[in-house]
Amino acid sequence: MPPHPPASAFAQAAEQGRVCSLAAKGQRDLQERVATYRSLFPDPPVDAAMLSALALSTAFIAPWCSAADLRTANRASLWVTAEDWQIDSVAASMEAATAIAEACRSVAAGAEPASDDLLGRFLADIRDDLAALPAFRRLGQLWQDELQRMLDAELREWQWRAAREADPADLPAADDYLANAAGYGATWVNVSHWIATGAVDTEAQLTELVTASKAVEQVLRLVNDLASYDRDVKAGDLNILMLGVDRHEVRQQVTDRLDQCEKLLHSLERTCPQEAAYLRRELGFTTGFYHGTDFWGPR
């Protein structure tokens, strides 16, 4: 006997096919972005599978959206991979990493990027798309603030890695590392998406969503680290499993923090039901995805 009645199986498969078509359109747009800013995306690790995974994630997290609605989230996710690569793997000194971050902050605030600053030019594309929306006049500062929080977290991780290279015993506390989860970039992507789709109208509403997104982001950091430990060891990146906690403890933290997130999302449902569903689906999709792989290709 089939697991679902034929009509139900057909409807489920049709819906999954529709969502995958959103992802296919998203991936084609990401491929065009990679072609435009080729040097930002070395292959490996930014391979075709990674672009597919990014597009699939946004499509399954927000399946009620159109391909056009998902464009900003897709491009912001891709930009985060470029920014992460530039600061983590290209910058050879703290001064160089800081200069990258400062240039990004300047562009986010409205400055024109230098002609040879491809990372800034890609960010300016995202900024200009958002700035064309009336809500950006009210919400643009929060978008900038979240970008700065992400960049500050990236620079903090750079310092931690440099300290560890000088002294392998010089490691951050696990709690400090997790508190720095903004470097994962999910909340900045979420803020970009919510502004782009007109999901929020006021600073208060967006601030409430950001609070919930930060809690979600910490869970994503943990499940990412469980999946990427072997890669992080080879690459010299930090991972919470290097900081005195084992897999069992991390899995327990995930369980506990999922419960905390659910309480936040339940309260959000009264004012922002679709955005609460978005964050819940982000937790579910990402946790399921990291059971089998992660986004980065082999370095």
Side-chain angles (χ1 to χ4, degrees):
M1 184 175 181
H4 302 286
S8 174
F10 178 91
Q12 288 181 7
E15 172 60 9
Q16 291 163 358
R18 186 192 65 80
V19 176
C20 287
S21 75
L22 293 176
K25 291 175 182 177
Q27 183 178 352
R28 291 188 180 106
D29 182 69
L30 293 181
Q31 288 169 335
E32 187 273 332
R33 291 293 85 195
V34 167
T36 299
Y37 298 112
R38 180 65 266 177
S39 64
L40 291 179
F41 302 105
D43 180 5
V46 184
D47 55 12
M50 181 184 192
L51 300 184
S52 175
L54 288 177
L56 282 165
S57 70
T58 57
F60 275 97
I61 289 167
W64 50 82
C65 288
S66 68
D69 290 335
L70 293 174
R71 189 177 79 161
T72 293
N74 282 328
R75 291 185 175 189
S77 296
L78 183 64
W79 186 86
V80 169
T81 69
E83 171 270 325
D84 183 70
W85 183 261
Q86 291 294 310
I87 290 181
D88 282 3
S89 302
V90 175
S93 67
M94 187 61 190
E95 291 74 18
T98 301
I100 293 169
E102 289 299 327
C104 292
R105 291 187 185 106
S106 179
V107 169
E112 286 303 308
S115 59
D116 60 347
D117 180 8
L118 295 185
L119 187 65
R121 285 170 53 193
F122 189 7
L123 179 60
D125 289 344
I126 297 169
R127 177 203 68 196
D128 291 347
D129 282 348
L130 292 172
L133 302 171
F136 196 69
R137 289 192 292 272
R138 299 188 301 276
L139 305 175
Q141 187 59 54
L142 291 177
W143 180 79
Q144 290 183 52
D145 292 346
E146 192 53 43
L147 178 71
Q148 179 163 335
R149 196 173 74 92
M150 181 181 72
L151 293 169
D152 288 345
E154 290 272 18
L155 293 178
R156 195 170 295 113
E157 283 201 29
W158 203 101
Q159 292 175 309
W160 285 340
R161 283 194 303 273
R164 178 175 175 238
E165 288 174 5
D167 177 3
D170 191 350
L171 295 168
D175 287 345
D176 292 338
Y177 172 81
L178 189 56
N180 202 49
Y184 186 81
T187 297
W188 181 71
V189 172
N190 293 345
V191 168
S192 300
H193 172 73
W194 289 326
I195 295 174
T197 56
V200 289
D201 296 317
T202 67
E203 290 185 29
Q205 192 178 33
L206 185 55
T207 298
E208 186 179 21
L209 285 170
V210 165
T211 297
S213 182
K214 289 176 181 178
V216 168
E217 192 168 48
Q218 291 192 342
V219 177
L220 304 187
R221 174 79 277 169
L222 291 172
V223 296
N224 171 274
D225 280 13
L226 287 171
S228 64
Y229 175 74
D230 291 339
R231 174 173 62 78
D232 290 338
V233 169
K234 293 176 183 177
D237 289 339
L238 283 173
N239 185 296
I240 198 165
L241 293 172
M242 303 171 185
L243 306 179
V245 293
D246 60 25
R247 286 184 178 272
H248 174 76
E249 292 173 287
V250 173
R251 291 191 185 102
Q252 186 59 52
Q253 278 208 53
V254 169
T255 299
D256 294 342
R257 289 176 182 275
L258 283 172
D259 289 341
Q260 295 167 15
C261 286
E262 184 53 40
K263 293 175 183 176
L264 283 171
L265 298 179
H266 181 69
S267 66
L268 270 178
E269 286 175 342
R270 293 191 296 271
T271 54
C272 306
Q274 186 161 274
E275 288 65 55
Y278 173 99
L279 288 170
R280 191 175 283 114
R281 291 181 68 89
E282 184 173 32
L283 281 168
F285 179 91
T286 309
T287 300
F289 182 85
Y290 279 132
H291 275 305
T293 187
D294 68 1
F295 287 92
W296 290 96
R299 300 195 183 191

